[in-house]
Amino acid sequence: MPYNFNIDIHCHTSGKPYMSGRTQQAHTPFETYENEIQSWLLSRLNKQIEKISEVRLATQSNFDNLSAGNVRVIIASFTPLERAFLVINQKPDSFFNDVLKDLVTETTTPWEDTVKSKVVNALTGFYTDDVDFIKKSILHYFREGFLPEYNYFTSFHDKKSPDKKYKIKFVKNFAEIDAAIKADKKTICVILSIEGAHSLAREVPNLNALRREQGRSHRKDPADFTLLIDYVNNIEKLKKLEFVPLFVSLNHHFWNGLGGHAKSLMKLIGTLVSQDEGLNEGLKEMGKEVINYLLRKDNGHRILIDIKHMSPLCRQEFYAFIKTKYWAKNDKFPLVCSHTGIVSKRRTLNALIKQDDDAELHDDTNYLHENSINLCEEDVLIIAETNGLIGLQLDEKRIAGNKIIAIIKNDEHSGEAELRMQYVKVLCANIFEIVKTVNAAKGWNLIAIGSDYDGLINHLDFYPTAADMPTLRKDMLAFFKNPTEISQPGFNYTLTLPEINRLMFGLSAEDIIDKIFAGNTMTFLQNNFNR
């Protein structure tokens, strides 16, 4: 059946309002508001910070924006701020200059060599007292990070918006979604997910250790299950909650002892902090045990695995592990990559493991974003084999090469409609890479929108918030109704019009858009969200 609404399988609706005051939140998830920069100087540099960081300094996926964008179902992601995000990059050459380093670095003992809380506030919208708590006081990610945010966010269950125009419903299964969608045209259904299994940990790394360990490799570390009992206990508590997350990603931005992460922080933020510890390493034995306890059904509902943020080696070893542990026993659960782009130059994980991500990042001939955090052909085929789901990330640094985005931004001769179509072409190039890999109409069944709104993304200029989802849907529909070749002189990507027509496999433009914006996710939830 056709769906006349939109779905987002990855956004961070609760993060900014929850982190708007330790004792009493100043905001709710309903509100649309600009980041409240708590430094007099930085507040005067608001526009400059937004330009340099290319991060929108305002809410994107709050309920009012979701309602305006006709987004009826979301999978809202929790991700407690990792303490390593607050430690200054220790490499001597990590900053553009000493003035920048002095501007952002805390020098007061004992918090020296950390990012100033007011700088984090300016970039994220999180209040300084919340940032200070993570920097100075937090001891347990699960107890003091995840659970309080869960309790705060779910307190809006069955609440109407302040203007009484729509209602929020946290849902436990597909039947509740189906009933809510059929009952009215306004209710927003909320499913939960977790980004980063550090959220399930007890022990929070010491700041001194984070400073010392920034460049450390863990490839030869012996298996250490010291903290496993904490993961086991916390996962059991997680599965007893009223609203159990649908999926969890093993990794986020920094080393968590479970497996190697991919490089994810770019530009200004990637300069301020270091992701080097454990970067691009494989799946650890401890990670396998955490995955087992998430997937088990005898301790509560199965929680699926989101492969986002795994390094290529970690993904490769994860696939090998689940094929032996689960698939060989006729247990082929679906895999999710909640928000991503697709690479076009390298088809296998082995090729991604060997590539130089920094060289790819600065290759001005790349039309797509070719770094190894994105999915390759091998990833896509494995997700397709499980009837999984791939969320298309509405983040220019994930879907396109740096140069092509600069060309679009600096184009002074094209009108707004033409510029929007250039963004749409880049998005569609990522989509066609998925379909071309599967090489059958069923490739269209894998694709969804996983915007990553409110996740420090470099948003697409004409679609900065969830309220712009109808415009994006309309623009993409226009492209599929009247497609043209996707190419750009001087870049390494061409998709001809005959190939585009072939890859549509007889589907109408309306069918494709319906699948991407709602239909595929509804089918996935019908098959996998039955608790």
Side-chain angles (χ1 to χ4, degrees):
M1 62 171 287
Y3 297 97
N4 60 359
F5 57 84
N6 304 310
I7 296 177
D8 190 344
I9 71 167
H10 185 84
C11 56
H12 295 276
T13 303
S14 68
K16 288 176 182 176
Y18 173 69
M19 297 284 278
S20 64
R22 281 299 301 166
T23 56
Q24 184 176 1
Q25 281 77 24
H27 296 287
T28 73
F30 291 102
E31 300 170 56
T32 302
Y33 61 92
E34 299 289 323
N35 284 11
E36 295 176 5
I37 298 179
Q38 295 173 296
S39 160
W40 180 88
L41 174 60
L42 293 176
S43 67
R44 300 302 185 272
L45 301 173
N46 189 351
K47 294 301 179 184
Q48 290 89 335
I49 293 170
E50 190 166 73
K51 183 176 180 180
I52 295 170
S53 66
E54 298 183 8
V55 173
R56 182 174 175 82
L57 303 183
T59 53
Q60 296 175 297
S61 61
N62 55 292
F63 291 141
D64 277 356
N65 273 336
L66 291 166
S67 179
N70 196 26
V71 182
R72 298 293 308 280
V73 181
I74 63 168
I75 303 179
S77 179
F78 292 112
T79 178
L81 183 66
E82 293 159 286
R83 219 176 192 192
F85 196 91
L86 305 176
V87 179
I88 284 290
N89 194 336
Q90 302 294 301
K91 283 185 178 178
D93 60 346
S94 60
F95 283 81
F96 304 124
N97 55 59
D98 290 336
V99 174
L100 174 60
K101 188 169 185 176
D102 290 342
L103 178 66
V104 302
T105 303
E106 180 64 69
T107 58
T108 303
T109 304
W111 313 114
E112 68 270 22
D113 294 331
T114 61
V115 185
K116 288 181 178 178
S117 296
K118 289 181 179 180
V119 172
V120 179
N121 158 251
L123 290 171
T124 65
F126 299 165
Y127 277 31
T128 53
D129 56 346
D130 294 284
V131 176
D132 281 341
F133 175 75
I134 303 297
K135 182 187 290 184
K136 302 175 182 180
S137 305
I138 190 170
L139 297 174
H140 307 81
Y141 279 131
F142 183 75
R143 188 182 72 197
E144 298 174 288
F146 169 76
L147 283 178
E149 185 173 350
Y150 168 89
N151 291 330
Y152 164 77
F153 194 40
T154 57
S155 70
F156 296 93
H157 174 53
D158 271 342
K159 295 289 195 301
K160 288 187 176 180
S161 60
D163 60 10
K164 309 300 182 186
K165 290 184 177 180
Y166 64 91
K167 186 175 78 171
I168 301 304
K169 183 176 180 62
F170 286 76
V171 291
K172 302 174 185 177
N173 51 53
F174 177 78
E176 291 187 357
I177 297 172
D178 193 44
I181 294 296
K182 290 175 179 176
D184 62 58
K185 296 183 178 180
K186 295 296 183 181
T187 297
I188 298 174
C189 297
V190 182
I191 305 165
L192 302 181
S193 68
I194 293 176
E195 186 169 20
H198 69 283
S199 308
L200 307 176
R202 176 185 64 83
E203 186 173 286
V204 174
N206 180 280
L207 287 175
N208 287 327
L210 290 172
R211 293 186 190 96
R212 293 193 303 268
E213 303 290 308
Q214 281 191 357
R216 182 182 167 189
S217 169
H218 294 273
R219 293 180 190 273
K220 297 182 180 180
D221 286 1
D224 182 359
F225 299 104
T226 305
L227 299 178
L228 180 58
I229 187 61
D230 297 307
Y231 281 103
V232 171
N233 290 337
N234 291 338
I235 290 170
E236 287 186 355
K237 292 174 185 176
L238 183 72
K239 292 189 175 189
K240 290 177 181 176
L241 295 175
E242 184 176 8
F243 304 104
V244 181
L246 178 60
F247 51 76
V248 172
S249 69
L250 193 71
N251 309 88
H252 199 202
H253 296 309
F254 301 97
W255 173 252
N256 62 11
L258 304 179
H261 55 282
K263 178 73 172 176
S264 57
L265 300 176
M266 312 293 178
K267 300 188 177 180
L268 176 62
I269 297 173
T271 298
L272 297 181
V273 299
S274 172
Q275 293 185 272
D276 285 351
E277 183 186 3
L279 184 69
N280 292 325
E281 295 185 12
L283 179 64
K284 307 302 286 187
E285 292 302 313
M286 178 76 148
K288 294 177 183 178
E289 290 302 317
V290 170
I291 290 167
N292 283 334
Y293 278 94
L294 289 168
L295 292 173
R296 280 174 60 166
K297 299 177 183 178
D298 60 353
N299 61 348
H301 296 298
R302 166 169 280 181
I303 297 176
L304 299 174
I305 306 301
D306 178 2
I307 67 169
K308 177 64 180 190
H309 287 289
M310 287 184 182
S311 71
L313 180 59
C314 191
R315 300 199 303 264
Q316 185 180 67
E317 294 180 352
F318 167 71
Y319 299 146
F321 168 65
I322 61 172
K323 285 178 180 179
T324 301
K325 178 77 175 180
Y326 294 93
W327 294 13
K329 299 174 184 176
N330 201 31
D331 186 5
K332 191 173 283 187
F333 53 84
L335 296 179
V336 174
C337 189
S338 60
H339 54 299
T340 191
I342 312 296
V343 303
S344 64
K345 290 167 66 173
R346 292 174 175 84
R347 298 299 181 183
T348 67
L349 288 165
N350 276 334
L352 284 185
I353 290 167
K354 295 174 183 176
Q355 84 170 20
D356 182 341
D357 267 354
D358 188 61
E360 289 299 335
L361 183 64
H362 295 95
D363 186 342
D364 288 343
T365 68
N366 283 341
Y367 186 79
L368 299 184
H369 183 76
E370 300 289 346
N371 278 38
S372 60
I373 191 171
N374 279 350
L375 301 184
C376 69
E377 181 178 290
E378 187 176 346
D379 293 301
V380 171
L381 289 173
I382 290 172
I383 294 171
E385 189 176 349
T386 70
N387 296 313
L389 203 59
I390 299 172
L392 184 66
Q393 192 169 356
L394 303 184
D395 182 349
E396 62 186 30
K397 72 176 179 292
R398 288 287 174 264
I399 64 165
N402 289 333
K403 191 71 172 180
I404 193 67
I405 292 298
I407 287 175
I408 298 173
K409 288 180 180 294
N410 296 326
D411 186 342
E412 298 178 352
H413 304 291
S414 300
E416 181 178 318
E418 294 173 283
L419 292 173
R420 292 206 313 266
M421 197 51 60
Q422 289 187 54
Y423 277 115
V424 165
K425 281 190 169 186
V426 176
L427 283 167
C428 288
N430 284 267
I431 291 170
F432 279 118
E433 285 302 304
I434 295 172
V435 180
K436 184 166 62 174
T437 294
V438 179
N439 199 28
K442 64 181 182 181
W444 290 105
N445 299 339
L446 300 175
I447 307 163
I449 298 295
S451 69
D452 203 16
Y453 281 141
D454 287 308
L456 295 181
I457 63 170
N458 303 92
H459 63 274
L460 309 183
D461 284 355
F462 297 102
Y463 318 101
T465 78
D468 301 290
M469 199 79 82
T471 304
L472 177 62
R473 182 171 180 148
K474 177 174 65 71
D475 290 345
M476 291 180 67
L477 177 63
F479 175 82
F480 283 112
K481 279 187 171 181
N482 186 28
T484 57
E485 177 176 290
I486 300 176
S487 62
Q488 181 78 21
F491 289 83
N492 56 11
Y493 189 87
T494 299
L495 195 63
T496 65
L497 182 57
E499 180 68 350
I500 289 173
N501 288 327
R502 182 187 77 82
L503 289 173
M504 290 176 70
F505 289 106
L507 294 172
S508 69
E510 290 81 3
D511 287 340
I512 288 172
I513 291 300
D514 182 72
K515 283 176 174 290
I516 293 171
F517 281 84
N520 290 337
T521 303
M522 288 293 281
T523 299
F524 181 89
L525 294 173
Q526 185 173 14
N527 292 335
N528 301 290
F529 191 44
N530 297 301
R531 297 169 170 175

